Amino acid sequence: MGGLVIKKACVLARHDPNCNDLASRFHSIYFLATPHRGADSAHLLNRILKASMTFNVKDYVNDLIPNSAAIQVINDDFRHVFQDLRLWSFYETVKTSIGVSQALIVEKDSAILGLPEERVQLLNADHRHVCKFKDASDNNYISLRNAFVSTIDQIEKEWRASTRDTFQDSMRTLATYLGQNDMPDNDLANLHDRQMEGTCEWFTNDPEYRTWIAGGGEVPKLFWLIGKPATGKSTIAAHVVRRIYDSNLECSYFFFRHGDRSKSSVAHMLRSFAYQMASTNPQIRAELLSMHESGVTIDADDERTFWRSAFVSRIFRTDFHQPYYWIVDALDECGDFNCLLPMLAKIDRKVPLRLLVTTRPSSVIQTLLLQERLPTLTKEVTVESSYADIRIVLEANTRFLPIDDPAACDRLIARILDKSKGCFLWASLVLKELETTHSEQQIQEVLDSVPSEMDHLYTRIVQNMAIGLRNKRLAQAILRWTVCAVRPLTVEELKEAIRLDLEEVVPRLERTVESVCGHLIHVDRNSRVQLVHETVRAFLIKDGLASDFAVNRVQEHSRLTEVCLQYLCSDELKSSRFRRRGSATRTAKRSVFAEYAAIFFSEHIVRSSSSNDSQVVALTTFFATNVLTWIEMVAQGGNLYFLTQTAKHLKAYMERRAKYQSPLGHEVRVVNSWINDLIHVVTTFGRSLLSSPPSIHFLIPPVCPRNSIIYQQFREYPRCLEVVGQPELEWDDRLSCITFAECKVLAIASRDSRFAVGLSTGKIVLYHTSTCQEAGALVHGKDAVRFLEFASTNAVLASANRQTIVLWDIGTGNRLWTTALPHRLLALGFNEDDTILMATTIANYTAFWAVEDGRQLEQLPVSDVDEDACGTYKRPPTHAQMSGELGLLAVGYRQRPINIWDLEDGAFIGQFHKSAPDVYPGPLLVAMAFNPNPEMNLIAACYAEGDLLTFDPWTQRQHAITETTAQVLAASPDGATLATGDGSGTIQIYDFETLRLLYRSTAYDFDIRAIAFASNNIRFFDIRGDHCNVWEPPAIVRQTDTADGSSEYCSEGVLPDVETTEATSWDNNKLVTAMVAVGGDGFFCGKENGTVAVYDSRSGQQTQQLYSHETSTAILFLEWEPRESILASTDRSSRFQVRKILGNLSGSWMVTPPLLNICIDQAVRQILLHPGGKMILVSALNADYVWDIHGLQRAHRIVDRRHSWRWADCSSSSTDKLLYIADDKTRYFEWQNLVECTFPESLRITLRDCEYPPIASLIANSAASAICAHFREPPGNQNRARLRLWSLAFARDHHDQSAEDLANYDGMARQVKAVVGFYKMFLLFLDQNGWICSLNADLKGDKKVYTRHFFVPYSWHCSGELIFAVTTKGSIALARREGIVVFHRGLDFEERIVTNDAEGARAPQTAPHWLSPVLENHVDSPKAAQRWDRG
């Protein structure tokens, strides 16, 4: 009867709107002997119930009578709703015993619906046993199971089809975000191809392996497989992956390769694991996509930060429905494997992660496992276990040898096994040599002459290679590239490399490479040329190898550098300096070697000898010719990391080179200048460069500082963007300065994509780390916020003033809980997994609260310990710092040693004495900072006497010391750098471990209160006075990457000079505060000191001061009426003036005395001049006024309350009208008297579709034919921004058209940062990424297309109010500090962008191919179409 009930439920769900979603999720229904047309047994059941004294007749039994009304209604209704369902009907075939008789309870014709597409199957069972089975071999069970499997396959197929595009887009995004270009499945497939059927089964049948794979209880999660080189560990790892997949379990795998840059670090492995897990788990995929969308940056070499932000914070917090396995092969070939085990040891036991690791025997790994107390199952690949697998391989291959006697074949196999000593590689190489024999005698000769040790075997192979003189040079080149290449080259790449290297063409290299190189090299299934084993590399690079094929890495890297630079300087990469419309169709195909040469040439430079003059000359040639095309190529790959990495490598190389040649040489200066510029190009223009790689040719050089080499070399590119008025001569490391009026900044914290600032007013302001745009505001209370701390793995923020601590959910802005503070705080922080909030007070205790609910836990008492007297001193602490990563607390007392406490068990660990232990008073402690990297175990401390030092908190031994004056310290998240700030505003950056000074910036400003690093370890923030500075000094980026292996080849390094900069300062009294364009050649600018000046658009420089307001306060608004030459200005004191400004032939301006000079008693919010210059509108806080220019007040309108409003002129030759938008209403007024006009409702502009946010701008074009309203999205409120364009024809002629005929650009409104103005019929605006864009105001209806032109550098628009002006010639001016910047010809560059209403404006999904003559002009996505137009 249950089948009838479910049919009725399905019918009801389909007819109930509230259940439509539920009904749509029904996919299949299985009916097991359901009486769709009733059952005759219902009569019998009724008779039994009537005869019973216990039960009454049931109505539902009557419904089961054949062809009952209830059944007919259900069947009729179900016929109309079953169309989307897959129906399975099973009928019984065995009669059921009922007393002494037997009968089919449900006949076949009643068990079948008879509907289209219904699938019908029999069950060999009676009615009682249609869903009861003996065991898994029961045929009825198998029938049902197969039906379920078929349905699941169908669901998966339908799901994949419906989500394929979304899934593929998501995975492409993550591949770029995580840097996954070379997937590990290629390595897995190669190993599976090489594995012989039946091998490795001994391992997966091993009891210890089965225990590990099953897990549960106290079974260790780590399995360590140990084996000598070439014993098949990688094949075993691949076999385990296959078995896990065969068991329908999930796993990720990674095969470390020492010679492959992308497979030799823990950071690469973790990013690969994250990508693989995202490909199978939608939750993990969504979490990683949210990281990307939130702007969380990933340092490709920082495994700790990625581990914390991706795995601990997100992946490990998702729901795992079954165990997940990580398979890691050759961990010992990873250069930084020692950092992995401490991370694994801290994984929550609830995370069902199991790890299998293969390595060679390693005492280092064994020691690490013991230190981390990581339970481990260990097994060794023994000679005996290898013999069985080698035998299988030999038996499969000896049949190809010239042996007919089975007994002789067995003897051959036994002899090879004996000499192999369990080494797969030895047996494989010998087999390949035996394949060249033609008789049993030759086989015996080979076996007699082949040594059993691998090195001896390799020696024999290279000796045989030397015999063939004809191929010697080719073999040397192949070995050179295969051994020294940063990653394995493909066959086609190697062909091109050899062509450039030897000037020889090898057409069939894939057939040649193995024979020429004695089978030491092979070509895998992905056409990659690789060594047969890592031991080959170790043999060829071994010191003292007496062979023509020995590889001297320093020399060979020099040769590879020459070849790469030869290509990069070739004509193939030259781009046309004259790009005209349509030239994109004339494309040239680039060499397959282009990508390798572009990305990895610097890897070879840093590994080569720095005494080689030819390399510096080649570098200079490259930088003088094709460097911009190279930058474009790298940017098209979607990862600017390689530009930064190139700068790091060149920096290290040039520092070593300083030992041989003066740094004053021309070539050295050029290379060093480009090192500096490359870093700044990435940090300053990175986002714009990625969205439009060709911009490097025409848009980026003009906005670079005048003394930069990129500007000097490429400023005269024909017809490129021209920028004048720019004040900078050098790069400015300070990206932004955020000022807070009338309050002080007291606290700063940063984590992932957000940073927070605590103010003296009790307010907390949140900002996006990447854009410095405000992301929201919180109110802690009335008192100043003095402490801020983000959780490392949760989206929560803790704030504290003197009385309370508040925990916030920064996603929603809600308070999670509040607790009172009885004593003043010294330190605030979270434990490692963010479950506990900790606070140390001056009352000598640390308090703990549960993050989940705010309940207070036990307190930890601390004290100033007297170790000699075994007692304590009763005095308040002056400083405290805590480390959640280390679980330690450092407490400082006045002129006493630093006390170290364990936060987990409250144990006293020890004291650090800067001076002798028995000396009192000791030096005065000023600041402390823990290194967040647990591997370093360091604390930095600064003292009033001028010493900065580091010490080990566990041993209390001093590690390093230097002299400096500092009052605040901060460590980067990766622990690499230490920042200090002093009372004079100077910031210094040190290497944390050595305390070597890396960078110094002097800014004679307020004393620095605090410093905080962003998660990318490069950007940091300082707070001083009333502002927050944002810094990103390239000196931090440039620090030599220890993973590049350069130290492995060269030990000739010298310490670099400290980079010292002086922060740009400016006179606040001369800041430009208002601007208006004057025709096509100039601008009037108002300044902070109350002056109004003229700037020339051609030079961007001030040419004349016109006049000054008497109060010398900032000019807030300027309005210019060109027909009557009337200029109106308003200052901060609410005084406004109207003057006539007359030009003359000499270019100077004459200023008349004020026509109006009036001060009102309310703050002025807007002024507007009448088009004929006859009147001026002054809009104040609660009133609006109209004066004529002779001083007569025409109108005065009082407004009770309004929050957001704007006025715009919509006059014509026949009407004098004003448009007024206040909050969510639009109205029209007469200029003369501010009397409201009456318009038909159908002609009224309506804001009908939503609650509108505050209006940011309301402007009309010069012809008063179109008007734009921009409603800015308030911080923390999404999807409320609006952008509308209206025609103003209705304001002049009521019958012309309806105001409803408008252009709706709401889909892109969130991307609009500021409206720039109108140029002809084009609305210009600045988007959130800094691009100047335009919309065509002539077009009507909903719009999804706009045009992108050029971008404004981030530091020019990242903070403060943006002031733009547009000339009649299309030049755009931006007020910047004490002057203006003018962009000429910027609108000539055009790129068409398509928006998505659901997501807002989107840049093209792939980098736009703007007319690069070596790129195809195509569109990869229907959402984007680009063109490069030159006017």
Side-chain angles (χ1 to χ4, degrees), residues 429 432 461-462 465 475 512-521 532:
L429 290 173
K432 287 185 178 180
I461 291 173
V462 296
M465 288 166 55
T512 306
V513 62
E514 292 192 28
S515 59
V516 168
C517 297
H519 301 292
L520 295 179
I521 290 175
V532 294

Side-chain angles (χ1 to χ4, degrees), residues 748-760:
I748 180 80
S750 176
R751 181 72 67 188
D752 291 339
S753 60
R754 299 284 189 274
F755 71 95
V757 175
L759 306 178
S760 59

